[in-house]
Structure formats: C-alpha cells, structure tokens
C-alpha cells in the first residue's frame, strides 16, 4: 500500500512567519507534487519534482519554494506567510513522469495564517 | 482558457443511482481521471478514461465522449459511505493535469 504522509494535519501561523510543510512517500516514487485546494476551485499545482534536487514550477508558485534532498521527501516552504496562503495543502506522488499514472495523495495540511 | 465544469453539490438516496457529470474545454485531451475525496481525507483514484465509452468497476462506472468534451461517473446501489466529493481531472495537450472543483455528493437514508 502506497503511503504518503504529511507532517501536520492542522497548522496555525502568523503573517510573516516562515512555514515548512513536509511530505514523505514510502514507495520509491519519482514524482512528487504540492497542490493547494480551496473551496470552489480545482486543485492548483504549486510545484512538482521529478527527481532528487529537481523541481518545476506549477501554476501558482509565487510565494512558495520547495526542496527535495531525498527521493522520499518533498518539502514546501512559505518564506513569509500571508493570509492569502490560508488553504488546504495536499502532497501527492506518482511512480514516474508518465502523466497517465494515478497520483497518490497525502491527507493534507490545513494551514491558517493569521 | 482551460475549464472543467462539475455540479457543486448533488443529493441522492441510499440504494439509488446517481450520475455526476463533468464537461471540459481544454487545449487538447490525453485522458480523464475521477478521484473520490472524503471530507478531511486524501483524494483516491477511481478511474481513468482515454477512449470513448463506458468502463465499469463494480458499483462505479465512468463514461467518456471525447467529441462532446463530456464524462460522467455513475454510482449504483448508493451507500452512505459514498458521501464524498468527486473530482474530475483532464490531461491536456501539454500533459498537464487540469482539475475540476469537485462535486460534493450527499447521500440521505
């Protein structure tokens, strides 16, 4: 069973704080993704990574950065959190770059920025 | 622009059948996914369609018409545990995944 875990289910931070969201997958997948999910909108891709130390911008990378130092771990960093980054953050992984692969999601981190 | 439309919310009765529609206008088409997401949980894969027609998987079926830019998810013999959001996602010509906002399905006894 593929397992994708995220470090926190709920997080409350203050404006201007640096925030780290961690994601770990245990199935040796090459691809990892960070999305945000907001009411009334589809999942929006922030960044993805297809290999260690490799990263690509998604649709809404502004205000975010990522780090992938190990294959199983993909971190999302909010350098200076703002209230408009209050959202549900979902991490996902897939076996290869093939877009036809299903993605395996973590349970999400609900981030509130005050 | 790219657009995927799904109804925001649907209600159905336990034991009944429900059809959740998804229409898309995207730059190209390379396949369509359906995912299920229970409240507060991770989305999980239900189906993938790339050819026209109906694919059946137990109580769930997914249909695709590429010429109409249309898909539906059919859920039969509804159970309370089917209460969830159902997400439609399309792979466009750039092999990017475009997600719909999801349909929240409420099952009543």
């Amino acid at each position: 069973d593929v397992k994708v875990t995220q470090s926190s289910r709920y997080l409350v931070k203050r404006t201007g704080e640096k925030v780290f969201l961690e994601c770990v997958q245990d199935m040796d997948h090459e691809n990892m993704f960070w999305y945000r999910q907001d009411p009334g909108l589809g999942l929006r891709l922030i960044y993805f990574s297809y290999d260690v130390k490799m990263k690509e911008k998604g649709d809404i990378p502004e205000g975010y950065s990522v780090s992938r130092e190990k294959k199983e771990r993909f971190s999302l960093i909010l350098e200076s959190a703002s209230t408009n980054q209050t959202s549900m953050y979902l991490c996902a992984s897939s076996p290869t770059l093939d877009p036809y692969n299903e993605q395996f999601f973590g349970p999400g981190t609900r981030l509130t920025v005050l | 622009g790219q657009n995927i439309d799904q109804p925001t919310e649907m209600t159905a009765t336990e034991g009944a059948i429900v059809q959740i529609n998804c229409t898309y206008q995207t730059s190209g088409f390379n396949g369509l996914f359906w995912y299920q997401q229970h409240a507060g949980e991770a989305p999980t894969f239900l189906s993938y369609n790339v050819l026209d027609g109906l694919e059946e998987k137990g109580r769930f079926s997914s249909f695709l018409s590429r010429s109409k830019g249309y898909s539906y998810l059919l859920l039969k013999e509804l159970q309370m545990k089917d209460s969830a959001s159902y997400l439609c996602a399309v792979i466009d010509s750039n092999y990017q995944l475009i997600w719909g906002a999801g349909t929240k399905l409420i099952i009543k006894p």
Side-chain angles (χ1 to χ4, degrees):
Chain A
D1 238 16
V2 177
K3 246 317 185 15
V4 181
T5 56
Q6 295 183 227
S7 50
S8 307
R9 291 301 301 269
Y10 300 93
L11 214 48
V12 179
K13 295 291 181 182
R14 299 222 172 262
T15 302
E17 278 193 80
K18 191 168 186 175
V19 182
F20 293 87
L21 302 183
E22 302 282 334
C23 175
V24 177
Q25 51 94 3
D26 66 358
M27 284 303 289
D28 203 36
H29 283 178
E30 293 180 7
N31 274 5
M32 296 187 76
F33 308 83
W34 274 107
Y35 293 94
R36 62 177 284 176
Q37 186 174 34
D38 297 292
L41 298 177
L43 295 181
R44 291 183 290 168
L45 182 64
I46 304 171
Y47 269 96
F48 70 96
S49 168
Y50 52 89
D51 202 351
V52 175
K53 296 194 187 295
M54 305 305 289
K55 60 187 179 187
E56 292 285 342
K57 292 180 181 179
D59 300 318
I60 51 163
E62 297 78 19
Y64 304 95
S65 62
V66 290
S67 171
R68 193 164 181 203
E69 296 297 317
K70 293 185 178 180
K71 192 173 186 179
E72 67 271 19
R73 190 178 296 268
F74 192 35
S75 302
L76 180 70
I77 303 148
L78 288 66
E79 294 291 338
S80 177
S82 63
T83 54
N84 63 13
Q85 292 178 310
T86 291
S87 187
M88 171 68 87
Y89 289 88
L90 290 170
C91 174
S93 71
S94 67
T96 68
L97 260 181
D98 187 339
Y100 312 113
N101 286 319
E102 68 176 278
Q103 294 187 16
F104 297 85
F105 286 84
T109 295
R110 185 167 293 282
L111 173 68
T112 302
V113 182
L114 301 175
Chain B
Q2 315 235 64
N3 198 46
I4 296 186
D5 286 316
Q6 305 180 236
T8 303
E9 189 174 295
M10 298 180 71
T11 303
T13 305
E14 192 177 15
I17 298 173
V18 72
Q19 178 176 310
I20 302 173
N21 295 327
C22 171
T23 57
Y24 59 89
Q25 299 92 39
T26 55
S27 58
F29 177 85
N30 282 296
L32 184 145
F33 289 95
W34 283 98
Y35 282 77
Q36 179 190 58
Q37 185 179 23
H38 286 102
E41 296 184 15
T44 54
F45 170 82
L46 287 177
S47 67
Y48 171 71
N49 293 67
V50 66
L51 299 176
D52 288 350
L54 186 69
E55 294 212 2
E56 299 187 63
K57 232 191 239 186
R59 293 189 299 115
F60 290 16
S61 304
S62 54
F63 171 83
L64 175 67
S65 168
R66 288 172 298 171
S67 62
K68 294 182 179 174
Y70 167 69
S71 172
Y72 67 73
L73 185 68
L74 192 72
L75 290 72
K76 301 176 187 174
E77 300 167 21
L78 285 169
Q79 301 174 11
M80 298 304 291
K81 68 178 182 179
D82 298 329
S83 291
S85 288
Y86 292 86
L87 313 181
C88 172
V90 170
I91 306 173
D92 70 7
S93 57
N94 294 320
Y95 300 100
Q96 303 299 311
L97 202 52
I98 312 299
W99 294 83
T103 298
K104 182 178 180 180
L105 177 64
I106 299 167
I107 309 295
K108 294 188 173 175

